[in-house]
Amino acid sequence: MVTGSAILQAFQMVFAPGTIVAMLLASLFGLFVGAVPGLTATMATALLVPVTFFMAPIPAIATIVTATAMAIFSGDVPGCLLRIPGTPASAAYTDEAFAMTKKGQAEVALGAGLVFSAVGGLFGTVVLIVAAPVLAEVALRFSSFEYFWLVLLGLTCAVFITSDQPLKGVITLLLGLLVACVGLGNPAGYPRFTFGSAEMTGGIGMIAMMIGMFAISEVIRFVVDTSPPAVLAVEQVGNVLKGQWALAKKYPVQILRGSALGTLVGALPGAGADIAAWMSYAMSKKFSKEPQKFGTGHVEGIVESGSANNSALAGAWIPALVFGIPGDSITAIVIGVLYMKNMNPGPTLFTTNPQNIYAVFLLFIVANIIMVPLGILCIKVAKRILQVPRNILMPLILLFCIVGTFAINNSLFEVTVMLVAGIVAYVLEANRFPIAPAILGVVLGGMLEENFITSMIKSNGDLGAFFVRPIALGLALLTFLVWFAPPVMKLLRGRRPVVPA
């Protein structure tokens, strides 16, 4: 298809009345979910999956893109007004924003979070538009050897990046890989871990499992939570756009640095917006000319971290679209939706249906632009959103999860999987085990096994063939570097002689 024709078709799909209505409704849903403490952007995505099952591909993707972008921003609202982050991505600068609120600067803090989230999101979209097609060209030359090492590198990054205790990350990763082994969907087509159950032969439903891990676990967490409700720090917020242009002129380096770091971290498998925000806030403090002001209500960290968390969303789509490897838990769910809509991730997606890819790029641009007016509306009605009774909201979420999961395959077994996954996720998180590696294990386990078996068949069992092709060798060396560099560095530091004072 000619590029101009594909772009025109993308515009027609994105600006079709059905798609616009879906984006507006998803935006309001995302703003609401993000602004309610305890409900996350990933949970918003998981709850939308049953709805997208009945939608055309582009409106389905549109709902997820807009809802997650809005949820990441609106998580700033309760963090600023209640000192409770609405989403993990807002946790990095919650204390900073709340300190500004106590100083009477709630408008500045919320405005910075809104405006620079939109700027960061647009920056990440530009990188997605530029990088994804280039990487797709490279990926067309990939064989099973390269994909094996790429998946292994992605799983490794998920363990080391998402957890301050890598051993716990390894345990949850192995748990995810074990779940991926269930059923007949392996290269040999042999039933594994089915225990004689007909339902288990089809494997564990990824969508049902993710709805359980990200939505049901939050419902359980609410049930066992006994902490008293927080009190609003301010009753009303004024003009949030006032002074934002001055901040943009004062902190251009911070905006660019936060956006770039967020996009890069987002593209790393398993990382996501929350890690991008924490890293960006730490970097902002390290390179600031006024580090002593951090923690006292200083807007610089909010500007940089706000740029990072939304740019990470677009960055996470780069490996998801090009290689089918999710950059975060949101794109892990998205990959399932893409397969469901016959938009299989991979380099051929850019050549066989370019209009769909251009439509996805356009959706990101539109979502980040409409974030500003809708974000202002969210801030204006924040008081009412934050006062929604949680004891009414959570049973509704539970009901929606059960009905939605059942509707996907009309199966009670899927509902059981969802409930069990929710309990397991709650127990894991209560004991500080990261969930992201488990999700990556489920999504990538089959791909890892399939590419390993295919490569072994091609090479007649010769393991040396995994290191012959230049790209495969490079990815292998990078994987080994991630594995062995930390213990080697620790060993070298331990042997360093102590200089007497």
Side-chain angles (χ1 to χ4, degrees), residues 461-482:
D462 180 15
L463 289 173
F466 284 86
F467 305 94
V468 172
R469 295 165 63 92
I471 298 177
L473 178 61
L475 290 169
L477 291 175
L478 191 57
T479 304
F480 291 141
L481 183 67
V482 176

Side-chain angles (χ1 to χ4, degrees), residues 140-349:
L140 285 170
R141 296 195 287 270
F142 273 37
S143 69
S144 58
F145 298 102
E146 285 81 9
Y147 271 108
F148 169 77
W149 287 115
L150 188 66
V151 172
L152 200 58
L153 178 63
L155 293 172
T156 303
C157 289
V159 169
F160 283 97
I161 293 171
T162 60
S163 176
D164 55 351
Q165 296 176 296
L167 181 59
K168 287 187 174 181
V170 170
I171 291 170
T172 54
L173 171 63
L174 293 175
L175 181 63
L177 290 173
L178 177 63
V179 171
C181 289
V182 175
L184 292 169
N186 54 77
Y190 185 81
R192 294 188 306 201
F193 305 112
T194 58
F195 305 103
S197 167
E199 289 93 347
M200 296 277 276
T201 56
I204 302 296
M206 186 178 75
I207 300 298
M209 181 179 166
M210 289 189 182
I211 292 174
M213 295 189 90
F214 294 115
I216 300 300
S217 61
E218 292 296 340
V219 174
I220 297 171
R221 196 169 288 111
F222 164 74
V223 171
V224 301
D225 185 19
T226 56
S227 58
V231 180
L232 276 170
V234 292
E235 285 297 311
Q236 196 169 0
V237 180
N239 182 9
V240 296
L241 295 182
K242 186 178 180 182
Q244 297 307 315
W245 178 244
L247 288 178
K249 291 193 290 185
K250 185 176 181 180
Y251 299 119
V253 174
Q254 286 82 347
I255 297 167
L256 182 61
R257 192 169 58 203
S259 300
L261 178 69
T263 307
L264 179 64
V265 172
L268 294 173
D274 47 342
I275 291 172
W278 280 106
M279 289 177 68
S280 186
Y281 183 81
M283 183 178 285
S284 182
K285 185 175 182 180
K286 183 175 178 64
F287 292 106
S288 175
K289 294 177 182 177
E290 304 169 304
Q292 71 281 359
K293 290 187 177 181
F294 278 69
T296 64
H298 186 49
V299 76
E300 184 179 351
I302 298 174
V303 168
E304 188 158 344
S305 297
S307 303
N309 58 18
N310 259 59
S311 63
L313 289 179
W317 279 68
I318 297 172
L321 289 174
V322 178
F323 301 110
I325 295 176
D328 59 4
S329 51
I330 291 170
T331 45
I333 301 172
V334 166
I335 285 173
V337 175
L338 289 171
Y339 278 113
M340 200 164 58
K341 299 298 177 185
N342 291 319
M343 287 176 60
N344 296 2
T348 55
L349 184 61

Side-chain angles (χ1 to χ4, degrees), residues 73-128:
F73 150 69
S74 62
D76 295 354
V77 177
C80 185
L81 302 182
L82 294 174
R83 199 169 173 262
I84 302 174
T87 60
S90 306
Y93 47 91
T94 290
D95 287 339
E96 200 76 69
F98 190 71
M100 290 184 69
T101 299
K102 290 195 292 186
K103 288 163 66 174
Q105 298 176 349
E107 293 89 352
V108 180
L110 287 170
L114 173 60
V115 171
F116 299 112
S117 284
V119 171
L122 289 170
F123 179 93
T125 303
V126 171
V127 176
L128 172 65

Side-chain angles (χ1 to χ4, degrees), residues 50-69:
V51 179
T52 61
F53 187 71
F54 303 100
M55 299 170 72
I58 298 307
I61 300 300
T63 57
I64 293 175
V65 169
T66 49
T68 51

